[in-house]
């Protein structure tokens, strides 16, 4: 319906009537809300005549009340003054008895580091941490942060906790926030939000332009390219600001570039985003893959505006999953990804697109709603904590706070089974569908084969990683005991994935399906690394996620080259293409060899480190898993051999498919090269010099392993040491 | 909430302004329809109805702002009605819903409504049904429970029959009337048992009797069980819960789409309001000790799971959109019954919030079906939605939003409602923790089931090509109303705090 048509029709009168009814209703509800003295039926006063009520007497107990300088509830923002960051908060006694403050401190201590160092809170008069406040008076508490010259933490998100003799309130807190000064503060302080929502703005722009009848397909593509390119720029900017060596001991639970605000107060939900060593590589990977996928979307010719709008929505959802640190926010972004993929596969896909799309979305939804159930169960059993502005809440969705809850100590059971184990299994079920773990993997080959190329790329490179990331971020951090209990199962499932995926890949004739099954197999190495619970294993999982993201993206883009030209992906039909398309053969060779895990390319590090990490604890399983490396070489190099090597079939020269190209296969076009080349460069660079990636993830890996495997030695540093030694020998 | 004294009839009139306004409005509409001629007749009918509903809504809002002149809670009409903030919230909801339905009836063409004369009758019947629904929310005695249900049912029977163009209308109405009569008869029979055991019609006195007899005998007396089971037949029929749901698909399919919209939203919400009050005040389920409460939980939970599953499974194979939405509504009723099965304040708050979201979503969905039905000349099958994404992108987007919200995906109101339902289940009293976890898992499984047919509709709209390709012509008012109803659906999905606080504070008035 065109909006312009409405204004010219004669139906505006009832419409105006409806709108005014609605507006009046809304206004009257607002008015009643203000007029209500107490929400539930207040006892009616005896007389109807209004009388000035006398001032009620102060209750016979102390009542503590905290506020910032301008009377707000919080949080307290420290401002720069003489090299330090200072602010004052007011603590008042609103009751009838004196308020005895027995302790004023920054939340956290040496064992449970919460706030960055050099943050203190004292009373302004006398610099003490105790005081007595007379009724109806107030005092000031000065909060000071003196960061070091080259501080590792650039921001403070902490709480000042005040213990007093007000028993009803108990321990109260005021949120404290400070940020080191920077250029263009709006962007710097909200970099993650900009990064996440730029594609959404692009999508809204496309939809609005289409609604008002302006713009065309080319402008939609331009907007999408600009949005994803901006996202890449922000991601690179983020990487320059990020410090890989920051751990939990540096404060803020090890997260950087945090944005934390209250979203829905009545449900204890916060808008809490931040990055650490685990999410940083995924942010970079997602932005790169989104951009390259957008470039590769030039082959989409039907209804491109809808395609790009859904694509940008997908980009937002994926990025949001990797930066969200509040469970409900995480869930919202997780679900945001479902419907765009359903439509993108179901409308722009191949022969069996509707089947593949429906299968994907049903599998995914079952997984994500059981994940929601687990989130709600954890929320319902969380401990009392404070929100970012200091208000006390009985439950929370925030991942760092939930990580401190000891579910084992609560002795809860569901159907007689330990609560933590049930919740862990529910979460793992949801993530396992995404990874995908055998036997829940059957949606992946169908979805990836039927999807258009850019969506196959995104499915392989990003979506599968969301599952492994979720296990690291949520299962490992919040339920470490149950993770230790299930570690063996994870390794076993990983080995099954590796072997089963590889065997299925070897049996495929359809090239795209072969790559899809190889994704299943490669993600098995991630699971093996996760289940090993060692620093090498977890680092291996992260490296494998990045490396496989790059390699799988490259493989799908290269497969699309053949598919676009001759509409066939059958290995039996192709052969001897190296003579026709030498550049394509070189790049494909690189991709297949990288997928086999050959040293010198990025695939090596992830697979071998995972096996190395798991070997001490699971020798037999790891040995079987190592067979996967042999099988990977078999199917990858076998595919390469069947497509490129050998004689070129003469039947191709006269076939109808090659007629527009004059009887020969044209080599890579500029656009195809532009999408594959960056990935190839990254694969090579990461294979030869993985030190930057190791450095990026060091702090995060250290934090995770210290939670699940507290007694383990820190081997990542020694690994870096040994890696740099080995590289020095190579030079 | 124990009222100190009941108000007399004259004193109660101040509280009954909403119902009086609607009843007077209905009579006025009848008279106006008789005397007026031409265009003024049509305009006057709608104007009077909307003004009456506006007055009713304002009066409800004023009562919610508990002032000394209108103290709540109050017991009206010598103990027959209870006017508390719980009831006022629902009365406001009913008035709004009826106003929306009457507004949507404005552009009705004479051909569809069986002649121009039927328009006033529709308005009158809707207003009277709204009066009945308000009484259902306020009923405090068994007598008024029955009267209110009948006051909603009888106009609904007639409304369902108004599609006289083909056989479908009268057939639907006959099925509805027969089913409804048997159900009310069973309910009356059950009420007679309850009256016999408790010697009082007043719900709170029945509760006292139930509690004392349970304590004496150690379990709920069998006579009460039989009585309650029969009463549940009538109440479950009203909300279309399994196994008393069979009338719903046929009636929704045979009735005019607007009437189906009203039936899916209005009487269902009223039925839930009555159900909660019946169990809270009449059986003392909320304040009960652990063991009988577990029994209520198992009964209500089984009903909920059966309703959800039957609704979702049956919807999978439907080709008529109205039938599909009927089964989808049944599945939604099952989800709401889950919230009801928790029997504490949190469950009731979740139920009330879900009802508000459900009203917006379902009304919007039916309005879209109405709009598409007009554009495709009465075709109600799924085929009429083919390629709607291209032919009428705005309405297709609205329908997509409503469908996704009905499944329970963020960031829409249906997701938030499901969130509160699941939370209420997980935080249920820990005596029968395992049962409530099972209910939560059943909710999860049904969410996935509902996605299958919703996704199929989305696919038909967006991924299939229309046979012709021309734009669908719909009455702008219907399209605009559907679009405007997406606004609360989206807003409640992103910023639901104020509404949830408003509803939960007023609804959770524990006795």
């Amino acid at each position: 319906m065109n909006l312009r048509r409405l204004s010219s029709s004669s139906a505006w009168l009832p419409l105006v009537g409806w709108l005014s009814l609605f507006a009046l209703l809304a206004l009257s509800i607002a008015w009643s809300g203000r007029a209500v003295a107490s929400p539930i039926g207040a006892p009616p006063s005896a007389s109807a005549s209004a009388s000035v009520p006398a001032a009620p007497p102060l209750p016979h107990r102390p009542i503590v009340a905290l506020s910032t300088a301008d009377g707000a509830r919080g949080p307290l923002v420290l401002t720069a003054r003489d090299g330090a960051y200072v602010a004052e908060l007011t603590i008042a006694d609103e009751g009838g008895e004196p308020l005895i403050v027995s302790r004023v401190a920054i939340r956290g201590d040496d064992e449970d580091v919460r706030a960055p160092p050099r943050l203190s809170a004292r009373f302004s008069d006398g610099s003490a941490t105790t005081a007595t406040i007379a009724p109806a008076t107030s005092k000031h508490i000065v909060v000071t942060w003196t960061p070091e010259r080259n501080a590792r933490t650039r921001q403070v998100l902490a709480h000042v906790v005040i213990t007093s003799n007000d028993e009803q309130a108990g321990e109260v807190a005021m949120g404290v926030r400070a940020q080191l000064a920077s250029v263009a503060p709006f962007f710097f302080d909200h970099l993650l939000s900009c990064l996440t929502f730029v594609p959404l703005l692009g999508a809204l722009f496309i939809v609005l332009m289409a609604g008002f009848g302006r713009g065309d397909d080319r402008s939609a593509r331009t907007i999408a390219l600009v949005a994803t390119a901006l996202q890449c720029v922000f991601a690179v900017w983020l990487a320059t600001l990020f410090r890989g060596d920051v751990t939990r001991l540096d404060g803020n639970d090890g997260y950087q570039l945090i944005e934390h605000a209250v979203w829905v107060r009545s449900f204890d939900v916060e808008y809490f985003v931040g990055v650490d060593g685990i999410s940083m590589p995924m942010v970079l990977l997602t932005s790169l893959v989104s951009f390259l996928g957008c470039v590769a979307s030039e082959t989409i010719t039907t209804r491109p505006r809808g395609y790009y709008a859904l694509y940008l929505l997908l980009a937002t959802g994926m990025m949001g999953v990797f930066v969200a640190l509040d469970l409900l926010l995480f869930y919202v972004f997780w679900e945001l990804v479902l419907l765009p993929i359903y439509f993108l596969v179901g409308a722009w896909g191949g022969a069996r697109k509707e089947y593949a799309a429906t299968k994907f979305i049903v599998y995914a939804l079952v997984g994500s709603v059981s994940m929601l159930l687990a989130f709600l169960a954890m929320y319902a059993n969380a401990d009392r904590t404070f929100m970012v502005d200091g208000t006390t809440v009985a439950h929370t969705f925030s991942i760092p706070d939930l990580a401190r809850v000891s579910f084992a100590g609560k002795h809860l059971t569901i159907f007689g089974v330990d609560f933590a184990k049930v919740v862990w299994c529910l979460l793992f079920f949801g993530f396992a569908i995404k990874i995908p773990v055998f036997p829940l993997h059957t949606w992946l080959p169908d979805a990836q084969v039927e999807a258009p190329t850019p969506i196959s790329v995104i499915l392989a490179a990003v979506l599968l990683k969301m599952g492994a990331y979720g296990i690291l971020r949520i299962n490992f951090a919040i339920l470490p005991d149950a993770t230790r209990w299930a570690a063996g199962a994870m390794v076993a499932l990983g080995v099954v994935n590796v072997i089963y995926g590889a065997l299925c890949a070897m049996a495929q004739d359809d090239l795209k399906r072969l790559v899809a099954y190889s994704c299943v197999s490669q993600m098995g190495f991630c699971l093996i690394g996760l289940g090993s619970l060692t620093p090498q294993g977890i680092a291996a999982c992260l490296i494998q996620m990045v490396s496989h993201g790059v390699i799988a993206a490259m493989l799908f883009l290269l497969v699309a080259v053949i598919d676009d030209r001759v509409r066939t992906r059958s290995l039996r039909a192709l052969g001897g293409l190296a003579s026709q398309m030498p550049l394509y053969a070189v790049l494909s060779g690189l991709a297949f060899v990288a997928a086999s895990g050959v040293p010198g390319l990025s695939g090596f590090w992830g697979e071998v480190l995972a096996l190395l990490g798991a070997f001490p604890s699971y020798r037999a399983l790891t040995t079987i898993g190592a067979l996967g490396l042999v099988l990977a070489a078999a199917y990858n190099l076998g595919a390469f051999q069947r497509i490129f090597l050998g004689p070129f079939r003469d039947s191709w020269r006269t076939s109808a498919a090659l007629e527009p190209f004059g009887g020969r296969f044209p080599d890579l076009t500029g656009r195809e090269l532009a999408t594959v080349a960056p990935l190839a460069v990254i694969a090579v660079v990461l294979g030869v010099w993985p030190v930057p990636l190791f450095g990026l993830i060091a702090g995060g890996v250290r934090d995770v392993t210290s939670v699940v495997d507290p007694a383990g030695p820190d081997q990542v540093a020694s690994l870096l040491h040994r890696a740099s030694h080995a590289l020095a020998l190579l030079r | 909430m124990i009222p100190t004294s009941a108000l007399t009839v004259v004193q109660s009139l101040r509280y009954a302004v909403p119902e009086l306004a609607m009843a007077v409005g209905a009579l006025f509409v009848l008279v106006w329809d008789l005397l007026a001629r031409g265009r003024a007749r049509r305009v006057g009918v709608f104007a009077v109805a909307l003004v009456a509903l506006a007055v009713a809504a304002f009066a409800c809002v004023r009562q919610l702002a508990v002032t000394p002149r209108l103290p709540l809670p109050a017991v009206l009409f010598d103990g027959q009605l209870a006017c508390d903030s719980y009831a006022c919230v629902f009365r406001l909801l009913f008035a709004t819903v009826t106003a929306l339905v009457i507004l949507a009836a404005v552009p009705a063409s004479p051909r569809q409504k069986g002649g121009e004369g039927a328009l006033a009758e529709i308005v009158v019947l809707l207003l009277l049904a709204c009066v009945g629904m308000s009484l259902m929310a306020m009923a405090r005695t068994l007598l008024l429970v029955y009267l209110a249900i009948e006051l909603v049912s009888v106009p609904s029977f007639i409304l369902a029959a108004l599609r006289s163009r083909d056989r479908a209308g009268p057939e639907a109405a006959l099925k509805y009337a027969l089913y409804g009569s048997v159900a009310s008869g069973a309910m009356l029979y059950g009420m007679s048992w309850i009256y016999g055991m408790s010697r009082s019609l007043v719900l709170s006195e029945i509760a006292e009797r139930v509690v004392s007899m349970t304590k004496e005998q150690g379990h709920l007396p069998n006579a009460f069980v039989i009585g309650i089971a029969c009463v549940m037949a009538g109440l479950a029929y009203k909300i279309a819960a399994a196994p008393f749901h069979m009338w719903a698909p046929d009636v929704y399919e045979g009735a005019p789409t607007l009437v189906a919209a009203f039936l899916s939203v209005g009487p269902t919400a009223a039925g839930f309001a009555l159900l909660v009050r019946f169990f809270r005040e009449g059986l003392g389920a909320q304040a009960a000790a652990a063991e009988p409460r577990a029994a209520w939980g198992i009964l209500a939970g089984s009903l909920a799971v059966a309703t959800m599953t039957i609704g979702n499974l049956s919807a999978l194979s439907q080709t008529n959109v109205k039938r599909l939405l009927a089964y989808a509504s049944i599945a939604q009723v099952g989800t709401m019954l889950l919230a009801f099965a928790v029997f504490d304040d949190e469950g009731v708050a979740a139920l009330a919030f879900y009802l508000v979201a459900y009203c917006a979503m379902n009304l919007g969905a039916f309005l879209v079906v109405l709009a598409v039905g007009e554009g495709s000349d009465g075709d109600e099958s799924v085929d009429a939605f083919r390629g709607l994404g291209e032919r009428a992108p705005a309405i297709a987007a609205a329908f997509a939003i409503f469908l996704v919200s009905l499944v329970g995906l963020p960031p829409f109101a249906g997701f938030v409602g499901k969130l509160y339902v699941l939370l209420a289940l997980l935080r249920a009293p820990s005596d029968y923790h395992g049962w409530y976890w099972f209910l939560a898992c059943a909710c999860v499984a049904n969410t996935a089931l509902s996605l299958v047919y919703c996704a199929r509709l989305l696919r038909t709209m967006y991924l299939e090509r229309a046979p012709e390709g021309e734009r669908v012509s719909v009455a702008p008012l219907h399209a605009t109303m559907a679009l405007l109803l997406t606004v609360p659906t989206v807003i409640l999905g992103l910023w639901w705090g104020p509404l949830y606080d408003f509803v939960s504070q007023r609804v959770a008035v524990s006795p």
Side-chain angles (χ1 to χ4, degrees), chain A residues 172-243:
Chain A
V172 290
M174 166 69 78
V176 167
R177 125 185 308 173
Q179 188 99 25
L180 280 185
S182 52
V183 180
F186 179 75
F187 279 113
F188 266 89
D189 297 350
H190 300 103
L191 189 55
L192 285 179
S193 299
C194 293
L195 179 68
T196 312
F197 290 111
V198 152
L200 183 67
L201 287 176
L204 281 174
F205 208 58
I206 295 180
V207 166
L208 281 174
M209 275 175 52
F212 284 105
R214 295 190 201 288
D216 58 349
D217 304 338
R218 276 203 64 78
S219 58
R221 179 171 164 77
T222 319
I223 293 173
L225 280 172
V226 165
T228 45
L230 262 180
Q231 206 180 33
C232 271
V233 166
F234 284 141
V236 170
W237 194 1
L238 186 72
T240 56
L241 293 172
F242 182 80
R243 294 186 63 128

Side-chain angles (χ1 to χ4, degrees), chain B residues 341-342 344 346 422-433 436:
Chain B
V342 180
D344 61 7
E346 206 177 325
L422 283 175
L423 203 60
L425 282 172
L426 291 176
R427 285 210 269 218
S430 53
D431 304 5
Y432 273 71
H433 213 56
Y436 287 109

Side-chain angles (χ1 to χ4, degrees), chain B residues 208-221 224 292:
Chain B
E208 284 170 30
R209 200 89 172 107
V210 167
V211 166
S212 67
M213 291 187 83
T214 314
K215 213 176 291 184
E216 272 176 54
Q217 301 187 12
H219 63 92
L220 196 61
F224 266 120

Side-chain angles (χ1 to χ4, degrees), chain A residues 1-3 5-6 9 11 13-15 17-19 21-22 24-25 28-29 31-33 35-42 44-45 47-48 263-267 269 302-303 328 331-333 335-336 338-339 342-343 345-348 353-355 357-358 361-362 365-366 368-370 372-374 376-377 379-381 395 397 413-415 419 422-423 426, chain B residues 50 54 57-58 61-62 64-66 68-69 71-73 85 92 96 99-100 103 106 390-395 404 407-411 415 418-420 422-423 426-427 433-435 437-438 440-441 444 447-448 451-452 455-456 458-459 462-463 465 471-474 476-477 479-481 483-485 488 493-497 500-502 505-506 508-509:
Chain A
M1 189 193 94
N2 208 327
L3 290 168
R5 226 186 104 209
L6 174 64
S9 76
L13 185 58
L15 175 63
W18 191 90
L19 280 175
L21 188 75
F22 189 64
L24 285 172
L25 207 59
S28 53
I29 289 181
W31 166 80
S32 91
V36 167
S38 75
I40 305 171
S45 59
S47 66
W263 179 17
V264 182
R265 199 173 284 276
S266 57
F267 209 58
V269 188
T302 55
R303 287 173 293 175
L328 210 64
Y331 182 77
V332 170
F333 281 122
E335 293 285 47
L336 204 56
L338 281 190
L339 278 175
Y342 174 76
F343 283 116
V345 173
W348 287 274
K353 52 189 178 177
E354 289 108 9
Y355 169 75
T358 313
I361 205 174
V362 173
L365 190 70
V366 171
S368 45
V369 187
S370 41
L372 178 69
L373 202 59
L376 288 176
Y379 166 79
N381 292 298
H395 309 282
F397 278 110
T413 57
I414 299 167
F415 294 121
F419 172 85
V422 173
V423 171
L426 274 175
Chain B
L50 290 174
F58 271 123
V61 168
R62 250 186 94 220
L64 275 172
V66 185
R69 292 193 65 207
L72 290 185
S85 48
L92 187 58
T96 317
L100 286 172
L103 193 65
V106 166
E390 278 181 79
R391 292 189 287 142
I395 313 180
V404 171
V407 170
L409 290 178
F415 166 66
K418 265 219 171 96
L419 208 60
Y420 279 114
L422 283 175
L423 203 60
L426 291 176
R427 285 210 269 218
H433 213 56
W435 173 247
W437 265 89
F438 166 70
C441 293
V444 164
T447 308
L451 181 65
V452 176
R456 199 185 296 154
L458 288 172
R459 190 185 73 205
Y462 283 102
L463 310 186
R465 296 253 172 234
R471 296 211 145 209
V472 175
S473 67
V474 298
L477 182 68
T480 322
M481 279 181 72
L483 284 173
L484 285 174
L485 275 172
L494 295 172
W495 188 54
W496 64 86
Y500 181 76
D501 292 335
F502 174 78
Q505 278 169 355
R506 279 155 186 75
V509 180

Side-chain angles (χ1 to χ4, degrees), chain A residues 292-344:
Chain A
L292 291 177
C294 202
V295 172
S297 300
E298 196 169 344
T299 51
I300 306 290
T301 44
T302 55
R303 287 173 293 175
R305 272 184 280 184
Y307 175 87
Y308 285 114
L310 286 167
Y311 186 89
L312 291 175
L313 199 59
L314 179 63
T316 299
M318 294 191 302
M319 189 60 81
V321 165
F322 291 120
V323 300
L325 291 176
D326 180 281
L327 285 181
L328 210 64
L329 190 65
F330 181 93
Y331 182 77
V332 170
F333 281 122
W334 185 280
E335 293 285 47
L336 204 56
V337 162
L338 281 190
L339 278 175
I341 294 189
Y342 174 76
F343 283 116
L344 287 166

Side-chain angles (χ1 to χ4, degrees), chain B residues 33 41-42 105 108-122 162-165:
Chain B
D33 188 56
R41 180 183 180 199
R42 233 178 111 95
S109 63
R111 178 169 49 97
Q112 273 189 335
K113 292 291 189 270
E116 207 171 311
L119 217 48
E121 272 85 336
I122 294 171
L162 280 174
R163 199 164 105 170
S164 54
R165 188 163 34 110

Side-chain angles (χ1 to χ4, degrees), chain B residues 339-364:
Chain B
F340 162 73
V342 180
F343 293 116
D344 61 7
D345 283 344
E346 206 177 325
V348 177
L351 174 63
F353 182 84
Y354 201 105
L355 270 172
V356 174
Y358 169 75
C359 286
M361 297 187 291
N362 234 27
L363 258 185

